[in-house]
Amino acid sequence: MGTRFIPTADAGPRVRDVMLLEPNTVPPTTTVAEARRIFESPRQKALLVCDGSRYVGAIGRDGLDGAETDAPLARLVDAQAPTLGPEDETARVFEVVERHGLTRIPVVDADSSLLGLVCFNRSRDAFCVA
């Protein structure tokens, strides 16, 4: 089953209702050169870096600027980037988007395990879910 979309006006009350399950991740040992190859896909907006199931941080294309090609992403990720919890109210998603300008927000539990990803379609009027 492919990605489907939930209009933001029809979103459920909690983040768990609008998150994409099983987002793609890369390990912290992924190099800048490998990340650049992944970013060749125009659909790839950010890389979620996980050590097993533990969320380490995220990085966008701009985060690779000036970095050495053999540098591991573990040294470059933004570990302080905003995240959401599955029980957060959906309204919190819009607060994070407005405050930080993000269209991709990792969903983690209290132990920092990655549970999913909140993402929007291009027009930002629907959540991408699977």
Side-chain angles (χ1 to χ4, degrees):
M1 182 170 154
T3 302
R4 62 184 179 88
F5 300 95
I6 297 175
T8 55
D10 298 336
R14 303 278 177 214
V15 166
R16 70 171 180 263
D17 300 318
V18 298
M19 70 183 192
L20 177 70
L21 301 174
E22 300 179 21
N24 293 329
T25 64
V26 296
T29 55
T30 301
T31 65
V32 168
E34 292 167 327
R36 287 182 176 138
R37 280 193 291 279
I38 295 168
F39 278 127
E40 288 175 3
S41 167
R43 297 187 74 177
Q44 190 71 46
K45 306 294 184 205
L47 293 177
L48 302 178
V49 180
C50 291
D51 188 1
S53 66
R54 187 179 64 81
Y55 175 71
V56 175
I59 191 162
R61 283 181 178 90
D62 295 348
L64 303 177
D65 290 348
E68 296 178 26
T69 59
D70 61 343
L73 292 185
R75 286 196 260 156
L76 303 172
V77 295
D78 182 358
Q80 302 304 312
T83 60
L84 297 165
E87 298 303 318
D88 286 345
E89 293 184 12
T90 304
R92 174 129 167 72
V93 173
F94 301 105
E95 293 170 10
V96 172
V97 168
E98 187 172 317
R99 185 175 306 132
H100 300 280
L102 301 174
T103 59
R104 306 285 190 273
I105 308 164
V107 180
V108 299
D109 66 12
D111 295 325
S112 297
S113 291
L114 182 69
L115 302 177
L117 179 70
V118 171
C119 65
F120 293 93
N121 64 350
R122 285 186 194 146
S123 60
R124 295 188 186 183
D125 62 0
F127 291 101
C128 308
V129 295

